[in-house]
């Protein structure tokens, strides 16, 4: 079975820390998981990925963090149908912002539109 891919987007390293801890917990539970910075993720891998967990913060007023910008644009504008993909999205943010966790909400909505299963 392919490993669970844990992709993180972060500005302040909170999402990275959570991704690392989640990867460790999954591996300790006997599942195979890899943690990947979104800026290092090969976009072509998404078409063959089996399970992806996105952990991301939102930067500013709803935008993706800088290390997630390129992957965000790919998913929103270029990604093809993903019927083979199982996914989950975890958003970290501050409820004081009008667009609380918007980046995570956008990923969640778009992956569902592409046919992936939540």
């Amino acid at each position: 079975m392919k490993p669970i891919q844990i992709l993180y987007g972060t500005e302040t390293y909170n999402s990275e820390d959570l991704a690392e801890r989640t990867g460790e917990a999954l591996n300790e539970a006997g599942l195979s998981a890899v943690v990947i910075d979104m800026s290092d993720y090969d976009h072509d891998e998404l078409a063959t990925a089996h399970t992806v967990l996105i952990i991301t913060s939102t930067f500013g007023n709803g935008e993706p963090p800088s290390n997630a910008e390129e992957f965000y644009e790919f998913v929103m504008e270029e990604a093809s149908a993903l019927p083979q993909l199982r996914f989950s999205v975890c958003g970290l943010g501050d409820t004081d912002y009008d667009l609380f966790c918007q980046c995570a909400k956008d990923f969640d909505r778009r992956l569902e539109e592409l046919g992936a299963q939540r």
Side-chain angles (χ1 to χ4, degrees):
M1 176 181 244
K2 292 185 177 192
I4 297 167
Q5 296 177 346
I6 304 170
L7 309 180
Y8 67 87
T10 191
E11 286 291 338
T12 61
Y13 304 102
N14 290 329
S15 295
E16 180 180 10
D17 179 58
L18 181 57
E20 292 289 345
R21 289 187 291 137
T22 301
E24 289 171 12
L26 289 170
N27 285 318
E28 287 173 7
L31 299 168
S32 177
V34 294
V35 177
I36 308 166
D37 182 318
M38 283 188 199
S39 65
D40 295 331
Y41 189 67
D42 179 354
H43 301 164
D44 293 335
E45 272 193 61
L46 195 59
T48 60
H50 183 266
T51 305
V52 170
L53 168 57
I54 292 176
I55 299 176
T56 188
S57 61
T58 295
F59 182 70
N61 198 22
E63 286 91 41
S66 59
N67 74 313
E69 288 175 347
E70 195 174 300
F71 181 67
Y72 180 89
E73 292 296 323
F74 170 77
V75 170
M76 298 303 145
E77 298 175 13
E78 300 173 35
S80 299
L82 298 167
Q84 86 296 343
L85 184 66
R86 298 179 332 155
F87 76 96
S88 184
V89 178
C90 175
L92 303 177
D94 183 339
T95 57
D96 288 337
Y97 287 95
D98 291 337
L99 297 176
F100 170 67
C101 287
Q102 190 61 50
C103 176
K105 292 174 185 176
D106 291 347
F107 274 125
D108 185 77
R109 175 191 49 78
R110 183 64 178 144
L111 290 172
E112 181 181 47
E113 289 174 356
L114 292 170
Q117 286 99 47
R118 192 176 287 105

